Amino acid sequence: MAEAEAEVGGWIWERNLRPFLEVLSHYVGYDVDATDWATVAGAVEETDDERSDGWYAYPLAGAAQRAEVRLARSVEGDEVSVTVRGDLSPELRIRADTLLSAYAMP
């Protein structure tokens, strides 16, 4: 059962962005394909986590859940700031938080 609007945030290494999105999408029930990835990869290049208007948002709409993933690259690093928001079930919140922790590891 979905809850009220929730948000989970953190950062991951840029090299882990694609697997992060693929696994999160699987949990949402959405199949990320090559077109999705090309769209996200191109858009993330122009982001800046130090600007409030420098983030890119991508919707993931699955059969049972919907989430919006907001992304912004670190200007001087290899990190990507990530926020997952939406009417997230408690299970999806835990999974998103776990993915953020796992993909931030060296």
Side-chain angles (χ1 to χ4, degrees):
M1 175 176 201
E3 298 288 321
E5 181 85 10
E7 181 175 295
V8 177
W11 66 272
I12 61 175
W13 295 110
E14 188 170 3
R15 68 181 176 267
N16 293 330
L17 181 55
R18 186 173 187 163
F20 171 84
L21 286 175
E22 289 172 345
V23 176
L24 181 64
S25 296
H26 171 75
Y27 291 146
V28 171
Y30 179 77
D31 185 25
V32 171
D33 61 21
T35 303
D36 292 305
W37 174 244
T39 301
V40 170
V44 167
E45 290 297 318
E46 303 300 320
T47 61
D48 178 347
D49 68 350
E50 294 180 358
R51 291 186 4 243
S52 61
D53 65 344
W55 289 64
Y56 174 70
Y58 196 77
L60 299 175
Q65 295 206 70
R66 299 176 61 86
E68 178 184 75
V69 180
R70 296 183 68 240
L71 307 163
R73 293 177 68 210
S74 172
V75 175
E76 297 183 26
D78 296 325
E79 303 91 0
V80 175
S81 295
V82 179
T83 302
V84 179
R85 68 169 58 163
D87 294 334
L88 311 178
S89 69
E91 180 180 334
L92 185 57
R93 285 196 307 263
I94 291 169
R95 286 179 166 182
D97 188 54
T98 302
L99 286 174
L100 288 168
S101 295
Y103 286 123
M105 296 180 77

